[in-house]
Amino acid sequence: MDEPKITEDLIAAHGLKPDEYQRILEIIGREPTFTELGIFSAMWNEHCSYKSSKKWLRKLPTTGPQVICGPGENAGVVDIGDNQAIVFKMESHNHPSYIEPYQGAATGVGGILRDVFTMGARPIAAMNSLSFGEPSHPKTKRLVNGVVEGVGGYGNCFGVPTVGGEVRFHKSYNGNCLVNAFAAGLADADKIFYSAASGVGMPVVYLGAKTGRDGVGGATMASAEFDDTIEEKRPTVQVGDPFTEKRLMEACMELMQTGAVISIQDMGAAGLTCSAVEMGDKGGLGIKLELDRVPQRELNMTAYEMMLSESQERMLMVLRPELEAEARAVFDKWDLDFAIVGWTIPEDRFLIIHGNEVKADLPLSKLSSSAPEYDRPWVPTPAAAPMADVPGVDAIDGLRALIGSPNYASKAWVYTQYDTQVMGDSVQTPGLGAGIVRIHGTNKAVAFTSDVTPRYVKANPVEGGKQAVAEAYRNLTAVGAKPLATTDNLNFGNPEKPEIMGQFVGALEGIGQACIALDTPIVSGNVSLYNETDGKGILPTPTICAVGLIANVEEAILGKAAEGHVALLLGSTVGHLGQSALLAEVFNREDGDAPIVDLAAEAAHGDFIRANRASIIACTDLSDGGLALAAFEMAQAAGVGVSLEASDTPTLFGEDQGRYLIATTADQAEALMAAAAQAGVPLATVGTFGGDAISFGGSSAPLADLAATYTSAFAAALN
């Protein structure tokens, strides 16, 4: 088959700038073949190379005594004691989900699960963070339905509990929804599998499902803005099969017991190209592939298509040749493909043979670790202008506006479509704070949460970045967990715009400061840039997922408020209303600065909660909606009313950070007050739980009426 002629238009269609193409010419000393152009395009795009973000990612804290493996592998690994480790990561599938919501979201879940079990960990939990446009936008309902069905369809069939997440709506996502998928798995700390190839002449083995044409060019598409040609991009979205993935996981776990695996890598973005190059580059080796050996499910596939296909449920490994028979038997048993498709070679080459022709012959190291790296121009986000006065609102009217918004209403419509109990170790499922999963056969449990407030990040990237980490830290603390580490999903617009790059730089500065202060290093993550449509970018959305350990699940804070309980507020209240939920939902305003995050106070307050958990029956952190929304949610979950002494808008709806609402008995409240005085942390009584009404100062409404609004508003907004 004749290959297309390399033209300026073809180069541009592959997402390569003229200077990048010139660099390719200098590296190989000739014009690339069509297949080589595709390989460079895949490896040098933003999605695979992190060329706009590498400089800043290096500044993040990634180490600590709890960290077994930080960024650079398929997922991060942290120690939880007893020779056990949690392996976890978050990744985006934003562009595919906007084009084809069900499959985009489903394959996002499939990809992140492979990242986890590739390292020898059996998945035990999943979460997702979803950002959609305005509910009234003509595409939003279809996107929400498709994405939620896709997340549930894949995760439920695969058999992993979805234990947490978040859903938000904002006009900035009208043309570019965000679908961030998280997975965590359990592994023996001394049996982690890595991706660096080793040994010369070792077989490179293709595992799993057959290769088709789905997803060709997906990584390149994920590194571009959208425009009115979006519908033409539908073929770049992959198609997932969770039942095949389940078999692939079981086969891989069994394979790893044979001792046959030297290294292993899942085929994610850019498929065979990225997995082979990364394995070779990390091991300082070259790779030779013979594509006639690749299992295919379509006829007459070209080398270009096979190298760039993103067909799902596939892995690549380097095999100990003496154990080939044992390894092959495992995959035959699970009815999956097992094919030796290449070998490691000593030369720094990426050699692709198809039909006895050399389709690509490139210096392998130049494709990965020597990819372009940019120090893009950036400008700091200007300080927020002074905020106009916020009129006082009736407290119950303000609460009703929040819980009547799909942003702050119950998300049960979403999470009831997910299996939250499969595997039987879920201790706390979505809707009540951080998700908790027991480590099977032990008293230990692990808590998970996902957080970011994009309005804050846009107004003040540094404080917004700090706040995302701090809120995740508080959510784990509120259930009695000790935060261990974090993973991030950095969703931003076009980094070639200095103001967008400034948001990125500022947010990473804040994230880094918070991770150091709260001892929650970043051990894995993902960068998703060019989230724009027709030049309009999303709100900067650096999602933070955090993982915490509960040494004894009986010490988790899992109780509910009850009649006669005292409501205590830990932390200081100034009444910060800038960029608040109340401002957005009641006044349709997004002005003012983000709240300041006092990291020393965050750490002190977290330590206080964990040290005094025996005196705490129920606990939640304060974030969007401040004291009013936190008190309502705690009361609603318990089916009991609450009466707060405050009636003024700043006290009830201010979003000052570092705060927790605690429900406990009068005797325990006394003990907590004494402990707080000794620890030097601010703790005050703010009300009581009981009755059947929500009362803020002189304003009240029946709990049942407000609960009806809270539980129905999400579905109503999408009708």
Side-chain angles (χ1 to χ4, degrees):
M1 181 183 294
D2 292 337
E3 293 197 338
K5 179 176 173 55
I6 307 297
T7 63
E8 289 184 6
D9 287 347
L10 190 63
I11 294 163
H14 280 74
L16 291 163
K17 301 282 198 304
D19 61 317
E20 291 175 333
Y21 183 70
Q22 191 59 40
R23 185 168 173 175
I24 291 170
L25 296 179
E26 291 167 3
I27 287 171
I28 64 176
R30 57 176 170 79
E31 184 178 272
T33 66
F34 181 53
T35 301
E36 290 173 334
L37 182 71
I39 289 170
F40 270 109
S41 164
M43 292 305 304
W44 283 14
N45 68 56
E46 200 72 58
H47 193 74
C48 293
S49 73
Y50 296 100
K51 59 191 176 186
S52 296
S53 58
K54 273 191 286 195
K55 170 182 175 175
W56 303 102
L57 294 175
R58 292 191 189 102
K59 297 177 182 289
L60 291 172
T62 59
T63 59
Q66 70 273 46
V67 178
I68 295 173
C69 176
E73 275 294 336
N74 288 290
V77 186
V78 294
D79 193 337
I80 60 167
D82 307 310
N83 194 41
Q84 292 179 313
I86 295 295
V87 179
F88 64 96
K89 189 182 183 183
M90 190 173 219
E91 280 206 340
S92 59
H93 234 221
N94 304 337
H95 285 47
S97 298
Y98 190 76
I99 297 167
E100 184 58 71
Y102 184 94
Q103 290 296 348
T107 52
V109 174
I112 201 66
L113 290 168
R114 283 196 304 281
D115 279 337
V116 166
F117 70 74
T118 295
M119 298 194 70
R122 182 173 290 275
I124 60 169
M127 292 193 295
N128 52 81
S129 177
L130 311 177
S131 303
F132 299 104
E134 296 164 297
S136 59
H137 189 274
K139 286 192 174 181
T140 298
K141 182 179 179 180
R142 172 178 170 266
L143 289 171
V144 173
N145 280 303
V147 165
V148 171
E149 286 178 16
V151 168
Y154 204 101
N156 296 355
C157 293
F158 178 86
V160 62
T162 298
V163 298
E166 53 186 344
V167 186
R168 70 180 54 85
F169 297 86
H170 189 275
K171 62 185 178 183
S172 73
Y173 306 107
N174 280 347
N176 199 128
C177 65
L178 302 183
V179 175
N180 294 176
F182 167 95
L186 178 68
D188 290 342
D190 59 353
K191 293 177 183 173
I192 306 297
F193 287 81
Y194 297 99
S195 58
S198 64
V200 173
M202 296 294 130
V204 175
V205 184
Y206 174 113
L207 305 169
K210 293 182 178 358
T211 293
R213 291 186 171 92
D214 50 324
V216 172
T220 301
M221 175 271 294
S223 303
E225 295 180 34
F226 284 148
D227 53 28
D228 55 11
T229 65
I230 182 173
E231 290 301 323
E232 299 169 16
K233 296 180 169 66
R234 194 174 298 274
T236 61
V237 178
Q238 315 92 322
V239 177
D241 179 353
F243 297 108
T244 297
E245 176 123 330
K246 173 69 170 173
R247 287 186 290 126
L248 178 62
M249 179 193 71
E250 297 296 350
C252 285
M253 302 300 281
E254 195 172 323
L255 173 72
M256 288 164 176
Q257 302 302 313
T258 67
V261 179
I262 294 175
S263 65
I264 189 164
Q265 173 83 33
D266 84 292
M267 289 197 223
L272 194 52
T273 290
C274 195
S275 55
V277 168
E278 287 190 4
M279 290 173 81
D281 187 58
K282 288 175 185 174
L285 294 167
I287 301 281
K288 176 184 178 182
L289 297 178
E290 295 184 358
L291 298 188
D292 291 333
R293 297 169 173 262
V294 171
Q296 299 160 53
R297 58 177 158 81
E298 298 189 44
L299 297 173
N300 303 317
M301 288 190 71
T302 64
Y304 178 96
E305 290 169 332
M306 277 189 272
M307 292 307 297
L308 298 187
S309 166
E310 293 183 7
S311 294
Q312 296 292 286
E313 293 83 44
R314 302 180 302 158
M315 310 282 261
L316 201 64
M317 80 161 175
V318 178
L319 168 76
R320 296 190 191 283
E322 68 274 16
L323 294 173
E324 178 188 338
E326 290 92 327
R328 187 182 294 275
V330 170
F331 275 74
D332 285 347
K333 168 188 167 183
W334 289 99
D335 194 24
L336 293 164
D337 278 296
F338 179 103
I340 294 175
V341 297
W343 292 266
T344 59
I345 56 178
E347 302 85 8
D348 179 22
R349 311 302 301 167
F350 191 39
L351 191 59
I352 309 301
I353 312 295
H354 186 221
N356 295 319
E357 288 184 34
V358 175
K359 293 296 185 180
D361 185 359
L362 300 169
L364 186 144
S365 64
K366 300 295 185 185
L367 294 167
S368 182
S369 55
S370 300
E373 183 174 331
Y374 297 126
D375 185 2
R376 296 210 184 271
W378 62 278
V379 294
T381 299
M387 188 175 68
D389 288 341
V390 180
V393 296
D394 176 82
I396 294 299
D397 288 346
L399 176 65
R400 207 184 295 274
L402 293 182
I403 63 176
S405 159
N407 277 311
Y408 306 110
S410 166
K411 305 302 188 297
W413 183 92
V414 175
Y415 61 73
T416 52
Q417 297 187 51
Y418 304 150
D419 191 332
T420 61
Q421 299 282 359
V422 65
M423 299 174 71
D425 282 310
S426 299
V427 176
Q428 180 156 282
T429 53
L432 293 170
I436 304 175
V437 174
R438 184 194 300 268
I439 301 301
H440 194 74
T442 76
N443 282 330
K444 291 187 297 188
V446 182
F448 305 97
T449 187
S450 169
D451 297 286
V452 65
T453 308
R455 298 185 312 278
Y456 294 172
V457 186
K458 183 176 183 183
N460 188 329
V462 176
E463 292 301 322
K466 284 160 61 175
Q467 192 275 339
V469 176
E471 187 177 343
Y473 173 89
R474 291 196 302 270
N475 279 333
L476 296 180
T477 296
V479 297
K482 168 66 176 170
L484 289 178
T486 50
T487 182
D488 59 20
N489 204 141
L490 306 173
N491 307 275
F492 289 81
N494 184 344
E496 296 168 49
K497 297 178 179 178
E499 65 275 15
I500 300 295
M501 200 64 212
Q503 292 175 348
F504 185 87
V505 172
L508 260 69
E509 180 184 337
I511 289 168
Q513 289 179 22
C515 287
I516 291 170
L518 303 175
D519 190 23
T520 54
I522 300 272
V523 297
S524 58
N526 174 240
V527 178
S528 176
L529 303 176
Y530 296 96
N531 288 291
E532 300 203 356
T533 298
D534 296 329
K536 294 180 180 177
I538 59 162
L539 286 177
T541 311
T543 308
I544 298 291
C545 280
V547 174
L549 178 65
I550 302 172
N552 184 341
V553 72
E554 293 178 6
E555 296 179 358
I557 303 172
L558 297 175
K560 292 185 178 181
E563 186 78 28
H565 278 176
V566 178
L568 298 173
L569 180 61
L570 173 63
S572 300
T573 299
V574 176
H576 182 95
L577 289 170
Q579 299 298 331
S580 65
L582 183 84
L583 207 60
E585 300 295 344
V586 175
F587 300 103
N588 196 28
R589 286 169 50 184
E590 292 181 11
D591 56 319
D593 200 356
I596 300 300
V597 180
D598 181 338
L599 293 170
E602 292 281 3
H605 298 173
D607 289 344
F608 178 82
I609 293 287
R610 285 187 295 276
N612 293 279
R613 72 183 81 192
S615 297
I616 298 171
I617 293 174
C619 183
T620 183
D621 85 303
L622 271 62
S623 53
D624 286 315
L627 176 61
L629 188 56
F632 167 78
E633 288 179 341
M634 188 178 275
Q636 194 273 336
V640 65
V642 63
S643 176
L644 298 180
E645 296 155 6
S647 59
D648 64 290
T649 298
T651 301
L652 286 169
F653 296 99
E655 296 181 5
D656 309 287
Q657 298 296 295
R659 299 186 299 162
Y660 298 82
L661 183 63
I662 296 165
T664 196
T665 66
D667 288 347
Q668 289 169 321
E670 272 191 42
L672 286 170
M673 294 295 281
Q678 190 170 0
V681 298
L683 184 68
T685 303
V686 292
T688 55
F689 289 92
D692 56 7
I694 304 293
S695 300
F696 298 159
S699 183
S700 72
L703 171 62
D705 290 355
L706 294 172
T709 299
Y710 179 69
T711 54
S712 64
F714 189 95
L718 292 168
N719 277 342

